[in-house]
Amino acid sequence: MTITTQVWDIALEGLTAGYGPKVVLENISTVLPGGKISMVLGGSGCGKSTLLRQIIGLSAPMEGKVLLGGNDFFAMKDAEFRRMRRRMGVLFQDGALLGSLTVGENIALPLREHTHLKEAEVQEIVLHKLSLVGLAHTTALYPSQLSGGMRKRAGLARALVTDPPILLCDEPTSGLDPISAAQMDALLLEMRERFPSMTIVCVSHDMESVKAIADHVLVLHEKQVIFQGSLHNLQETTKPYLLQFLARAPMREEEQGASYPLSEATRAHMHRELELQ
Amino acid sequence: MVTVPVVAVGRASLAFVGEMGAMLIFLLLGMRHMCSSTKQLQRVLRQVHVIGAGSFFLIALIGLFTGMVLGLQGYYTLTRYGSVGMLGSAVALTLIRELGPVLTAIMVTGRAGSAMAAEIGVMRISDQIDALEVMDINPYAYLVSPRITACLFVFPLLTAVFNVVGILGGYLTGVQLLGVNQGVYFYSIESSVVFADVAGTFIKSVFFALTVVTVCCYKGFFANLRQDGMGPAAVGNATTSAVVLSCVLLLLVDYVITSVLL
């Protein structure tokens, strides 16, 4: 079943972004292709989530453009900017469900705010979306009553409730056990099958997840894009950092920065204090 | 070296004035959406319940004891001057003109204002406010406006409750315990309290409502920008700072309004 016809490419042109004076991403130009699952990879603190915040429109770039379907997101007038935002579904790291609302109310929120659907229709959609993520039995529960994995799935249901053509996920599998992570991957693949025109962008550093679902991969390192292309191309790379990343190899000693050895006397004292001896 | 303290005071003053300006803009942004949709009514009613109904018994209790203490203190003070007949007037005017609105506002700040700052602060650090934005739900309209509207209703009502219960507290100690004539007690209230006093109490409570709701929502809303902590610590600091600043500003606003009304 196809729900939208337009495929939304996400293009970044000379994007420089950061917080205050601190630059996290510098002069990045890339395209995240529409209708595919793009995975943004990189080490912790390399700017993956910052990139996502730019695409969502939560932070404006210091320089450069974010183009959605060819239109400059941050140059849009307020009404058009808001209309564009409604075309996005976002899954935050911990789901970001509103704690004062039940799961059902959370999923229904965008529909109740932006549509004049009858309550029965809203309930039907909510149940459908929750059943897609296997949580149809949780409508009356509060987010605090769910496990981390369930909160993420409920967050995904909320992100999908308006059938958005663009789905953005911030670390969808982080903190999940292998079975829940595989379930989340399967859900994203199912979304791609159900909605072939949907552009899905996931920020992650979970290589298993990348291997399972990625059509397109973008790797960030030291403020720059150091790789963009298919998973197949990534696996054939010869770049040292990428090889290290793919092989889960630890940093070399010279890359780790300053070293502070612990004296034996301090260690022995600590153990005595902790009654380990 | 000599200029260091002066520079520090200057910086702190500029920061304070800047923050006051930011809070005023925050309040205006919140007020802009007070009547933006019919869905606001439900949110307002929920906040009226949380802020108003939840604080009712506390306010009544504090009002009762405040009135009782005023009755006791007033009785022994007025007895010295042979003016014990003015006890009702002393209790009522003290409550209506000053203690009612101020103590109500401080109590609501401690109970509901701190909860407001903490709840919104937690929403900020757990990405819930960002989630509202990306769902194209204006966080000012969703979180701030209903609280402003609710406070504008609730503060005057709770102040009225405080005043009435306080006068009854004064009656309990003055009349029932210390033997002041009941008719004299109520007659002195009736003859001394004028419409301007009652209007003043409500005017003060409206300004106090705006002060408390603005400070508490603002501190929570921008908990992520604090320099003195991150994550849960930022929420804790934001809550403390909201309560302290609210109380200080309440007394400042009280002085200004009193000097204008008198």
Side-chain angles (χ1 to χ4, degrees):
Chain A
M1 181 184 66
T2 306
I3 53 141
T4 51
T5 49
Q6 183 170 359
V7 176
W8 295 83
D9 285 334
I10 300 171
L12 310 174
E13 280 186 9
L15 184 85
T16 298
Y19 302 97
K22 188 184 173 195
V23 174
V24 179
L25 300 168
E26 196 166 9
N27 197 23
I28 285 179
S29 294
T30 187
V31 176
L32 302 169
K36 294 193 186 315
I37 299 181
S38 297
M39 300 291 280
V40 180
L41 300 179
S44 300
C46 73
K48 302 186 296 290
S49 296
T50 307
L51 180 73
L52 201 66
R53 288 180 70 84
Q54 306 292 313
I55 297 172
I56 300 165
L58 284 176
S59 308
M62 292 168 165
E63 280 176 39
K65 293 176 184 172
V66 175
L67 303 173
L68 299 174
N71 303 308
D72 186 350
F73 191 28
F74 289 94
M76 289 175 186
K77 287 183 179 161
D78 187 49
E80 181 59 24
F81 183 87
R82 294 178 58 194
R83 205 162 27 245
M84 183 57 80
R85 259 203 177 147
R86 291 187 197 182
R87 295 187 178 116
M88 297 180 190
V90 182
L91 166 60
F92 286 87
Q93 255 193 50
D94 194 38
L97 300 170
L98 304 193
S100 56
L101 303 181
T102 64
V103 171
E105 288 166 342
N106 263 287
I107 315 298
L109 188 60
L111 297 175
R112 289 190 176 137
E113 287 295 317
H114 301 311
T115 70
H116 295 100
L117 292 172
K118 291 176 189 156
E119 190 51 31
E121 291 172 316
V122 170
Q123 291 304 329
E124 186 186 340
I125 296 168
V126 167
L127 264 181
H128 171 66
K129 297 297 177 184
L130 278 173
S131 67
L132 282 182
V133 298
L135 291 176
H137 61 289
T138 63
T139 43
L141 298 180
Y142 282 89
S144 58
Q145 295 172 290
L146 303 182
S147 69
M150 289 163 91
R151 275 202 295 275
K152 284 204 175 187
R153 282 190 280 150
L156 182 60
R158 188 180 65 186
L160 291 169
V161 75
T162 53
D163 289 343
I166 300 171
L167 175 65
L168 303 139
C169 306
D170 192 0
E171 311 229 5
T173 57
S174 74
L176 298 185
D177 64 84
I179 295 170
S180 302
Q183 200 173 1
M184 182 60 83
D185 290 341
L187 271 171
L188 291 170
L189 284 174
E190 193 183 332
M191 289 308 119
R192 188 183 58 179
E193 295 212 351
R194 275 174 184 265
F195 312 119
S197 60
M198 184 184 274
T199 303
I200 302 177
V201 178
C202 296
V203 158
S204 179
H205 43 212
D206 179 355
M207 279 313 297
E208 290 303 316
S209 183
V210 173
K211 286 173 191 166
I213 65 173
D215 297 316
H216 181 84
V217 181
L218 186 79
V219 185
L220 299 174
H221 183 55
E222 292 179 348
K223 304 177 187 174
Q224 299 291 325
V225 173
I226 59 164
F227 174 85
Q228 50 186 320
S230 68
L231 179 63
H232 178 71
N233 289 345
L234 177 66
Q235 286 168 328
E236 291 186 345
T237 185
T238 54
K239 289 184 180 174
Y241 176 78
L242 292 176
L243 288 172
Q244 193 182 4
F245 197 89
L246 293 174
R248 289 185 80 231
M251 279 192 284
R252 293 188 298 275
E253 208 168 297
E254 63 269 22
E255 292 173 328
Q256 286 181 4
S259 166
Y260 299 98
L262 180 62
S263 75
E264 273 311 310
T266 305
R267 187 194 302 276
H269 189 194
M270 180 182 77
H271 283 198
R272 277 199 304 279
E273 289 291 322
L274 295 170
E275 298 180 356
L276 295 176
Q277 287 179 346
Chain B
M1 200 64 181
V2 180
T3 58
V4 170
V6 180
V7 170
V9 169
R11 281 214 178 108
S13 306
L14 281 176
F16 181 75
V17 172
E19 191 171 37
M20 291 299 108
M23 282 186 193
L24 182 62
I25 293 168
F26 182 83
L27 172 66
L28 295 176
L29 284 170
M31 291 178 86
R32 198 176 136 201
H33 299 282
M34 277 166 70
C35 305
S36 60
S37 79
T38 51
K39 291 170 185 121
Q40 289 290 49
L41 182 63
Q42 202 179 348
R43 290 178 202 138
V44 170
L45 289 177
R46 183 168 176 273
Q47 291 305 323
V48 166
H49 175 74
V50 171
I51 302 164
S55 305
F56 182 84
F57 287 108
L58 176 71
I59 293 300
L61 194 69
I62 303 289
L64 180 71
F65 285 118
T66 306
M68 287 170 73
V69 168
L70 281 176
L72 271 178
Q73 293 278 16
Y75 177 83
Y76 288 112
T77 307
L78 291 170
T79 304
R80 277 191 229 164
Y81 303 101
S83 311
V84 79
M86 297 303 291
L87 181 65
S89 168
V91 169
L93 286 177
T94 310
L95 284 169
I96 293 171
R97 284 188 179 175
E98 203 52 51
L99 290 186
V102 171
L103 285 181
T104 302
I106 288 175
M107 286 302 127
V108 177
T109 303
R111 199 200 151 273
S114 57
M116 258 183 240
E119 186 184 348
I120 296 176
V122 167
M123 290 184 75
R124 170 59 79 188
I125 65 159
S126 59
D127 293 332
Q128 292 177 42
I129 293 179
D130 286 346
L132 285 174
E133 278 196 51
V134 298
M135 285 189 282
D136 191 29
I137 297 169
N138 189 316
Y140 290 95
Y142 189 83
L143 296 172
V144 183
S145 304
R147 286 173 167 85
I148 295 175
T149 315
C151 281
L152 286 174
F153 279 111
V154 160
F155 270 62
L157 289 175
L158 288 177
T159 303
V161 169
F162 188 100
N163 291 342
V164 170
V165 176
I167 289 169
L168 287 177
Y171 169 84
L172 285 178
T173 46
V175 176
Q176 298 295 330
L177 194 68
L178 301 168
V180 175
N181 183 281
Q182 179 177 321
V184 171
Y185 182 82
F186 283 113
Y187 177 74
S188 73
I189 293 174
E190 194 189 335
S191 60
S192 61
V193 176
V194 293
F195 177 75
D197 298 320
V198 180
T201 208
F202 288 126
I203 289 170
K204 279 187 178 182
S205 63
V206 165
F207 277 96
F208 291 168
L210 291 175
T211 305
V212 171
V213 74
T214 306
V215 172
C216 293
C217 289
Y218 176 89
K219 291 288 181 183
F221 203 87
F222 296 110
N224 60 326
L225 300 180
R226 294 187 70 84
Q227 306 290 319
D228 57 358
M230 303 278 283
V235 177
N237 293 339
T239 307
T240 306
S241 150
V243 172
V244 172
L245 185 60
S246 292
C247 292
V248 171
L249 287 180
L250 279 175
L251 297 177
L252 184 72
V253 170
D254 182 41
Y255 176 78
V256 173
I257 298 175
T258 305
S259 58
V260 170
L261 289 177
L262 282 178

